[in-house]
Amino acid sequence: MNNTILVTGGAGFIGANFVLDWLAAGLGRVVNLDKLTYAGNLQNLQDVAQHPDHVFVHGDIGDRALVAKLLAEHKPRAILNFAAESHVDRSIHGPEDFIQTNVVGTFHLLEEARHYWSSLDTSEQGAFRFLHVSTDEVYGTLAAHDPAFTETKPYAPNSPYSASKAASDHLVRAYQHTYGLPTLTTNCSNNYGPYHFPEKLIPLCLLNALAGKPLPIYGDGQQIRDWLYVKDHCSAIRRVLEAGRVGETYNVGGWNEKANLDVVQLLCDILDSLQPRKDGQSYREQITFVKDRPGHDRRYAIDASKLYSELGWKPQESFETGIRKTVAWYLEHQDWVENVNSGEYRRWLDQHYAESAA
Ligand code: NAD
Ligand code: DAU
């Protein structure tokens, strides 16, 4: 075993930010296993394409032979499982992929992790970690005055996505309890920041605003999400990996509850100042109320006290600073935006990984 980690889903939004930050900090080698679904974008990893400590592997976490081969070859000291189908709306329209990757895929990954871990010597076994990246959505929804989710809140997932993540969390827990695999689980609130795929609220509204399209607000727009800048999520994961207690779960959040409509209005105001509309109107004019998401959770809020007090982690960004950085990033990365909007990022993928092109 050495200073290598195996990251899954490292071409997606959070995984790519994690890999970029990890390599920038010189924390060791990364083997990055990603299936490159529609949400995986190798352009996210362009800056580390030639990095000597980055090995990209195109493949599925459910491919046991491949995972076994990677573990035997690279002997990682940890596996960090970011890979997932992550979009709630897609899970409503087609849950199958969510079950396959989030549940069955995680199960296969755990099985191979268990076999690999069993083959290590005692000191290596003690040092090994399987860190599972999960979501606050497993806890279900909160009423307006309910306390924020703590780690002891019973699971009550409401969408196929959150149910699939809850199932994966339970498998991870069971592998620690039954087999002694040294696992850690993090449950984080809504992320935002660079490389966020524009099917999620913040990047979708940003890009639609600039393209002169409607900004779709589901229902009354008063649903509350608890926002965390993606780099803060990544620092929390590094901290849990380094010092988290085996078998524990850690909630990750920055106490930034906001109603969706307020988030989108703030985005419009920032754009009004940074890149005003040519007709002098506010981007708020483009806000459009649309049909609500079925089973839409009303409120999420994370109580991250355990992570704060036990591991001394705290976020660097407030929502106000993080959202300004995010808007600036999208304005400065029009090439990324154009490649995603046009589908060019998939064409690049088709040329290099033809067998996976969907
Ligand atoms: P994403 O959809 O942007 O990226 C997912 C990545 O996983 C993609 O690169 C995709 O190609 C890859 N992938 C999908 N299926 C795979 C498979 N079978 N094998 C290998 N790779 C596969 O997702 P994200 O927003 O970066 O989320 C990453 C993780 O964090 C997920 O587990 C998600 O549940 C969790 N999470 C996300 C948020 C959020 O706000 N985005 C918040 C809390 C937790
Ligand atoms: O809470 C963590 C979760 O946050 C993660 O586990 C998920 O992977 C991630 O996708 C995110 O889920 P949400 O459903 O909260 O994110 P999304 O950006 O899809 O939606 C945020 C809120 O905005 C939600 O209340 C639905 C609403 N919304 C979303 C879209 C895409 C709209 O009003 N209009 C939209 O067009």
Side-chain angles (χ1 to χ4, degrees):
M1 212 165 57
N2 51 44
N3 201 22
T4 300
I5 58 169
L6 173 64
V7 167
T8 72
F13 164 47
I14 304 172
N17 276 287
F18 182 87
V19 168
L20 293 171
D21 291 357
W22 183 273
L23 292 171
L27 295 174
R29 263 176 100 239
V30 178
V31 178
N32 185 350
L33 173 63
D34 196 296
K35 187 178 175 182
L36 296 174
T37 67
Y38 78 94
N41 183 347
L42 283 176
Q43 197 183 357
N44 299 352
L45 298 166
Q46 195 169 260
D47 291 350
V48 293
Q50 306 301 326
H51 197 294
D53 280 341
H54 182 230
V55 180
F56 182 79
V57 180
H58 180 218
D60 193 319
I61 57 168
D63 181 345
R64 287 183 59 168
L66 174 63
V67 172
K69 178 173 157 292
L70 292 176
L71 293 174
E73 188 179 328
H74 296 286
K75 303 210 177 326
R77 68 175 175 90
I79 299 172
L80 288 88
N81 186 29
F82 291 86
E85 288 293 336
S86 72
H87 189 39
V88 173
D89 292 324
R90 283 181 188 256
S91 84
I92 294 167
H93 298 297
E96 176 91 36
D97 288 348
F98 290 73
I99 305 304
Q100 279 310 325
T101 284
N102 301 0
V103 186
V104 181
T106 301
F107 159 68
H108 287 313
L109 187 66
L110 280 165
E111 274 291 271
E112 288 312 320
R114 176 167 79 89
H115 292 312
Y116 167 66
W117 175 74
S118 307
S119 74
L120 299 175
D121 67 33
T122 312
S123 74
E124 289 172 334
Q125 284 192 348
F128 181 81
R129 297 288 182 271
F130 183 104
L131 191 153
H132 181 60
V133 179
S134 193
T135 171
D136 61 356
E137 299 202 13
V138 297
Y139 298 121
T141 189
L142 292 168
H145 299 294
D146 285 345
F149 301 128
T150 64
E151 290 81 356
T152 57
K153 174 96 179 155
Y155 276 28
N158 287 320
S159 71
Y161 163 69
S162 53
S164 69
K165 290 297 290 187
S168 67
D169 292 9
H170 289 321
L171 283 168
V172 170
R173 177 192 155 84
Y175 270 64
Q176 198 280 318
H177 191 80
T178 306
Y179 304 112
L181 184 72
T183 65
L184 298 156
T185 298
T186 54
N187 294 89
C188 189
S189 57
N190 284 63
N191 284 215
Y192 66 99
Y195 306 110
H196 206 179
F197 194 78
E199 63 184 353
K200 309 281 174 81
L201 179 72
I202 288 181
L204 176 80
C205 287
L206 250 173
L207 301 194
N208 277 11
L210 294 169
K213 295 179 183 168
L215 313 183
I217 302 287
Y218 296 163
D220 63 3
Q222 294 308 310
Q223 305 84 3
I224 289 172
R225 294 294 180 267
D226 190 351
W227 294 96
L228 185 68
Y229 191 62
V230 64
K231 303 280 182 196
D232 284 326
H233 186 188
C234 294
S235 75
I237 290 170
R238 291 196 300 273
R239 186 67 192 135
V240 172
L241 179 66
E242 177 182 56
R245 282 182 295 133
V246 164
E248 291 292 316
T249 65
Y250 293 89
N251 281 355
V252 186
W255 307 97
N256 279 310
E257 283 186 65
K258 305 269 176 215
N260 292 338
L261 183 59
D262 293 341
V263 168
V264 175
Q265 286 179 336
L266 177 60
L267 275 178
C268 292
D269 297 348
I270 297 172
L271 281 176
D272 285 342
S273 69
L274 293 181
Q275 193 152 311
R277 265 172 49 159
K278 291 203 172 56
D279 64 2
Q281 299 284 304
S282 168
Y283 287 98
R284 286 187 182 212
E285 298 294 319
Q286 290 165 236
I287 290 176
T288 309
F289 290 90
V290 300
K291 192 166 172 290
D292 208 352
R293 172 185 281 175
H296 199 168
D297 284 338
R298 194 68 182 166
R299 174 179 166 236
Y300 303 143
I302 274 282
D303 181 340
S305 313
K306 180 175 169 183
L307 181 57
Y308 283 40
S309 60
E310 203 179 286
L311 302 185
W313 172 86
K314 61 176 190 319
Q316 298 297 305
E317 303 292 344
S318 66
F319 187 70
E320 286 63 29
T321 60
I323 199 71
R324 281 181 184 279
K325 283 189 177 180
T326 303
V327 175
W329 187 89
Y330 279 90
L331 291 176
E332 285 160 13
H333 291 79
Q334 283 304 310
D335 58 328
W336 186 92
V337 170
E338 278 158 27
N339 278 345
V340 169
N341 276 344
S342 67
E344 186 61 34
Y345 81 108
R346 298 295 301 172
R347 280 193 279 283
W348 193 95
L349 175 62
D350 294 350
Q351 285 159 15
H352 291 78
Y353 297 101
E355 78 283 8
S356 79

